[in-house]
Amino acid sequence: MDGKIVGVLLAGGMSRRFGSAKSFAEKDGKPFYHWSIEALRPMADALIVITNDDLKEKFNDEVDMDVFTDVENYSGKGPLAGIYTAMVHREASWYAIIPTDVPFIESKVFERLWDERKEGVQAVIPVVNGKFQPLIGLYHHTLKPTIRELLEDDRLMMRALLDKVETQYVPFVEETPFININERKDYDVHIRDGLRDNDA
């Protein structure tokens, strides 16, 4: 391994609570996934998208990066399947992981995670005022067999992985970059109402 970093956009969720594909909802005139990609781009040597069959063609039409769906054996098994799929398709030392529904994210989050890595750790994860953020983090290539084992056992929670490996938690105080838009009410509170305030 040569220290290569692959940025991985996890965009495979079905967005049932939101009601439409969150990746393509907009903040300040840009789709959510653009904000995620922009946060990854400064540190990543390559960028890929992991999505579902329904959205694959839409992403292929919109982005100049490779787009994959989960490897067949683990299709639909959540973020662990997405991370594993990235590791199967692109060899790297580290994988910088981000979801599509954090449109306030900033590249400085990843810069800090990278700068604060300790030797021997396999995952570097932010903790925001005591709340774990496992879908925004750095994952080492040596995790691949462990992730595969968890997928085989249907142990799909991210915490199952982080409790099993050498994980470094990095504390953050500022919450805004980690705001997650799960439901329409989250969009209304954090984005739509913000637009109204700016127009007032």
Side-chain angles (χ1 to χ4, degrees):
M1 292 292 175
D2 61 0
K4 182 177 180 180
I5 304 170
V6 167
V8 182
L9 177 68
L10 296 178
M14 301 305 291
S15 303
R16 291 185 182 91
R17 284 183 291 172
F18 192 73
S20 61
K22 288 186 287 185
S23 298
F24 303 98
E26 293 189 353
K27 170 184 167 281
D28 297 339
K30 290 195 295 190
F32 283 5
Y33 79 86
H34 278 207
W35 297 101
S36 296
I37 289 172
E38 288 177 11
L40 291 175
R41 198 179 295 279
M43 74 177 306
D45 299 294
L47 292 162
I48 62 174
V49 179
I50 309 296
T51 190
N52 58 56
D53 288 329
D54 292 338
L55 295 180
K56 188 173 190 293
E57 290 308 314
K58 188 168 178 61
F59 274 110
N60 274 328
D61 290 341
E62 294 216 4
V63 299
D64 58 351
M65 63 188 74
D66 290 327
V67 181
F68 301 102
T69 57
D70 288 341
V71 293
E72 186 174 355
N73 288 351
Y74 308 126
S75 179
K77 289 197 172 186
L80 282 181
I83 296 170
Y84 182 78
T85 297
M87 291 178 169
V88 166
H89 286 291
R90 287 291 179 272
E91 189 173 273
S93 290
W94 287 91
Y95 297 82
I97 306 298
I98 195 170
T100 62
D101 55 2
V102 284
F104 297 92
I105 192 68
E106 299 174 332
S107 59
K108 66 181 182 182
V109 170
F110 285 98
E111 292 166 3
R112 184 171 168 209
L113 294 176
W114 185 256
D115 289 343
E116 295 200 19
R117 282 174 308 133
K118 296 176 182 175
E119 186 174 352
V121 301
Q122 295 172 284
V124 187
I125 306 299
V127 179
V128 185
N129 293 323
K131 185 176 180 180
F132 299 98
Q133 299 287 340
L135 298 187
I136 299 171
L138 304 175
Y139 290 82
H140 197 256
H141 71 94
T142 54
L143 294 174
K144 185 178 176 182
T146 305
I147 295 174
R148 183 174 62 241
E149 176 186 324
L150 292 171
L151 289 167
E152 288 289 341
D153 292 340
D154 280 329
R155 297 177 60 200
L156 307 181
M157 301 296 290
M158 295 297 295
R159 193 60 186 260
L161 172 66
L162 300 178
D163 286 347
K164 197 176 179 68
V165 303
E166 292 296 324
T167 302
Q168 177 184 350
Y169 295 103
V170 178
F172 286 76
V173 174
E174 185 183 358
E175 296 183 356
T176 300
F178 301 92
I179 290 173
N180 181 262
I181 307 298
N182 268 321
E183 304 178 24
R184 283 287 171 180
K185 65 181 182 182
D186 300 323
Y187 185 91
D188 291 341
V189 168
H190 296 292
I191 297 175
R192 193 188 308 277
D193 289 352
L195 288 174
R196 291 193 189 113
D197 291 342
N198 290 335
D199 289 342

